Amino acid sequence: MSLLNELDELLCSDDDEYDRLDLFLEADALIGQLQCADVPALLALWQTRSLCWQQRYTQASGAIDGAVLRAVLTGLLQIKQVPHGVFELMSRLPPVADASPLSEALLDYAEQAWHANQERQRQIQISCWSCGLSGRLLKRLGFSAWKEAGM
C-alpha cells in the first residue's frame, strides 16, 4: 500500500476508532514522510474528502516537511472554495515570513478572507501572527495595531 493510500485510509477511519486508537499519531508520522512528489495526489484527495478528513490532516501535520508544507499551501491557494486548510497549515510555517511568492499569496488570501468573513478574523490574525505575516497584513488592512482592528 502506498504511503498516501495508507494516510487516506487512516484519515477516513471511523471517529471512535480514530480517537480510541490514537490514529492521529500514525497519521502524523505518515504526513512527515510525504514528499513534494506526493502533493498533487494529496491535493486531488483534498478536494474529494470530507471536512473531517481535512481537519484530521491539518491537526496531524506536526511533522510535515517544510517543502511539502509550502507545496500543499501553494496548491490549496489555487483550489477555489477551500473550506479548510490554509489558515490551519499557516501556523506550521516558520515564525519569520519571507518575501516569497507564497507569502504574498498567503497575504492576499488573508486579506480577502478578512473582509469576507468577520467570524474568522481572530483565526486569520493568529495564523498570520504565527508565521510572521501579522505586521504585513495589518499594513494591507490599513491598521497600525491589532487593537485598532478590533482584536
Side-chain angles (χ1 to χ4, degrees):
M1 180 182 286
S2 79
L3 177 68
L4 197 52
N5 288 341
E6 190 176 346
L7 176 61
D8 183 41
E9 190 176 294
L10 279 175
L11 297 177
C12 287
S13 298
D14 172 77
D15 288 344
D16 182 51
E17 180 180 302
Y18 189 81
D19 295 335
R20 185 175 47 82
L21 298 176
D22 291 335
L23 294 179
F24 66 90
L25 295 172
E26 280 184 62
D28 185 45
L30 291 173
I31 291 169
Q33 296 175 43
L34 291 175
Q35 303 294 313
C36 287
D38 298 315
V39 172
L42 174 70
L43 293 170
L45 277 174
W46 198 281
Q47 295 177 76
T48 64
R49 296 299 184 244
S50 69
L51 178 60
C52 177
W53 186 97
Q54 295 169 0
Q55 290 170 330
R56 286 178 178 178
Y57 180 90
T58 59
Q59 291 166 353
S61 62
I64 193 169
D65 175 75
V68 172
L69 173 60
R70 285 175 177 77
V72 169
L73 281 167
T74 299
L76 288 176
L77 288 170
Q78 295 173 12
I79 297 171
K80 300 291 183 216
Q81 304 297 342
V82 174
H84 182 85
V86 174
F87 292 119
E88 294 77 12
L89 289 172
M90 280 174 68
S91 64
R92 305 283 186 204
L93 288 169
V96 179
D98 56 17
S100 70
L102 175 59
S103 289
E104 290 304 312
L106 290 170
L107 279 169
D108 291 343
Y109 183 82
E111 183 180 13
Q112 290 171 7
W114 180 272
H115 295 298
N117 192 340
Q118 288 187 330
E119 294 82 39
R120 294 189 74 190
Q121 287 180 347
R122 174 66 67 194
Q123 179 188 23
I124 294 165
Q125 177 205 19
I126 291 168
S127 296
C128 287
W129 177 81
S130 68
C131 69
L133 292 172
S134 179
R136 288 164 58 187
L137 179 60
L138 268 175
K139 285 181 185 176
R140 280 190 177 204
L141 296 172
F143 298 117
S144 60
W146 284 110
K147 185 175 183 178
E148 185 182 329
M151 298 288 134

